[in-house]
Amino acid sequence: DTAVSQTPKYLVTQMGNDKSIKCEQNLGHDTMYWYKQDSKKFLKIMFSYNNKELIINETVPNRFSPKSPDKAHLNLHINSLELGDSAVYFCASSQAGGLAGDIEQYFGPGTRLTVT
Amino acid sequence: GENVEQHPSTLSVQEGDSAVIKCTYSDSASNYFPWYKQELGKRPQLIIDIRSNVGEKKDQRIAVTLNKTAKHFSLHITETQPEDSAVYFCAASKGYDYKLSFGAGTTVTVRA
């Protein structure tokens, strides 16, 4: 069973379009994340949700909107796509954060977004 | 916020030799330091982690050391093998803010 899954794996689209990426985890984790990995491999946190509540919202254009319908799902919707949005987007989950510090993160397989 | 610097950015070693990757962090409140390995086209995966109450941790051929005073930690891979070729990321976290701050990554190539 795949622990953290994402769809689609590849996404090619034109500038100006709107697209969504879906993420699901079956680990029973409380916290989910979205990362962007650019062409230089740098991993940058974008958003995090804990029990459906937004807890991390980094400096990301408001064209990006996360949505967590329940704690097993975290989707990412992107409006008006731009060339610079081309990257690999990873979803991740962890059991808990907080004082437990137990935030080992499990990553999904990634979605390679190409904007033309 | 936390700033994690990682060196070197690329590392080429002969099979069987050791590889060392070093990271520094800026926030003395950070208390959790994981290392992730990302093979080409794959997801990052945790390979080892260390918490601030421990100075060293070892798991077979990999080990991590932490110097809290100097705010740096290192990954050591001994007896490198071709399957160790990957990008390695260090990270740091305070835990309570749920956030992992990653270093820029080190591309390790093991030459046969």
Side-chain angles (χ1 to χ4, degrees), chain A residues 4 31 33 35 37 41-43 45 50 55-56 58 90 97-98 101-105 107-109, chain B residues 32 36 38 40-44 46 49 51 87 89 93-100 102-104:
Chain A
V4 183
T31 310
Y33 310 79
Y35 287 88
Q37 186 171 47
K41 301 292 185 186
F42 189 69
L43 273 167
I45 181 76
N50 177 259
I55 54 170
I56 296 174
E58 293 293 284
F90 284 100
D102 188 12
I103 59 165
E104 177 181 346
Q105 294 189 12
F107 284 79
Chain B
Y32 174 66
Y36 284 80
Q38 186 179 25
L40 188 62
K42 300 285 180 67
R43 72 190 79 193
L46 180 74
D49 56 15
R51 298 181 191 278
V87 180
F89 293 95
S93 172
K94 292 189 283 289
Y96 63 81
D97 62 356
Y98 298 83
K99 196 171 160 181
L100 277 180
F102 282 88

Side-chain angles (χ1 to χ4, degrees), chain B residues 33-50:
Chain B
F33 307 92
W35 287 86
Y36 284 80
K37 176 183 180 182
Q38 186 179 25
E39 297 176 1
L40 188 62
K42 300 285 180 67
R43 72 190 79 193
Q45 290 193 290
L46 180 74
I47 54 170
I48 195 168
D49 56 15
I50 191 167

Side-chain angles (χ1 to χ4, degrees), chain A residues 6-17:
Chain A
Q6 292 178 231
T7 53
K9 190 167 173 61
Y10 300 98
L11 186 52
V12 181
T13 188
Q14 292 186 325
M15 281 195 319
N17 285 348

Side-chain angles (χ1 to χ4, degrees), chain A residues 33-78:
Chain A
Y33 310 79
W34 277 112
Y35 287 88
K36 179 180 180 181
Q37 186 171 47
D38 60 25
S39 57
K40 293 184 179 175
K41 301 292 185 186
F42 189 69
L43 273 167
K44 180 84 167 67
I45 181 76
M46 299 173 69
F47 302 103
S48 178
Y49 272 75
N50 177 259
N51 281 320
K52 301 195 296 176
E53 181 185 343
L54 182 65
I55 54 170
I56 296 174
N57 186 355
E58 293 293 284
T59 309
V60 176
N62 58 14
R63 298 182 294 103
F64 290 78
S65 52
K67 281 193 172 52
S68 182
D70 55 60
K71 74 174 193 176
H73 295 85
L74 180 61
N75 303 323
L76 183 65
H77 188 75
I78 316 169

